[in-house]
Amino acid sequence: MNVLLAEANIPYDRLIELDDINSEFPMTDVALVIGANDVVNPAARDDKTSPIAGMPILNADKARTVMVIKRGMNPGFAGIENELYYLDHTLMLFGDAKGFVTSLVKELAASIRVAA
């Protein structure tokens, strides 16, 4: 995962290790997942028969609300459905991630100005 983030020009000193961040998810109001599949699939943790059983994942499903930005419902590299996408507290946003994130940032900035 770190290689992909480095390709997106995210500095390594801004990255948090999986073991360090997973304990934060139960206290997180919103987890924003962009284009990930297998690395956030709870089946790796919960389903011993899954092809990804035991694989280290981000426990994004433990956040109060999960927003997933993807182009579609295609499976990840493992070729399996992602249980995260069907949880009651997951919102699926289909489309271009850059466009969604740009819109979210604008909305947040506008709401901060209104609240101030």
Side-chain angles (χ1 to χ4, degrees):
M1 231 178 347
N2 288 358
V3 172
L4 295 174
L5 293 170
E7 287 178 7
N9 296 319
I10 306 297
Y12 275 112
D13 63 342
R14 300 289 309 263
L15 301 179
I16 301 172
E17 292 298 323
L18 183 85
D19 291 337
D20 296 331
I21 199 65
N22 270 342
S23 63
E24 299 293 322
F25 283 111
M27 298 170 286
T28 302
D29 288 327
V30 178
L32 178 62
V33 177
I34 301 175
N37 272 306
D38 299 331
V39 297
V40 292
N41 192 337
R45 183 186 63 236
D46 302 334
D47 182 357
K48 303 298 182 211
T49 64
S50 172
I52 61 171
M55 183 181 95
I57 62 164
L58 290 164
N59 292 333
D61 62 306
K62 301 293 184 183
R64 186 169 293 126
T65 300
V66 182
M67 296 172 67
V68 178
I69 303 173
K70 287 184 51 88
R71 293 190 184 276
M73 291 294 284
N74 294 335
F77 185 76
I80 60 173
E81 296 237 349
N82 190 329
E83 296 174 4
L84 174 68
Y85 302 162
Y86 301 97
L87 297 176
D88 289 340
H89 66 285
T90 299
L91 305 170
M92 297 299 295
L93 306 171
F94 296 107
D96 176 68
K98 184 176 181 180
F100 270 115
V101 172
T102 300
S103 295
L104 286 170
V105 169
K106 285 180 182 176
E107 290 293 326
L108 288 171
S111 69
I112 291 170
R113 283 192 298 271
V114 169

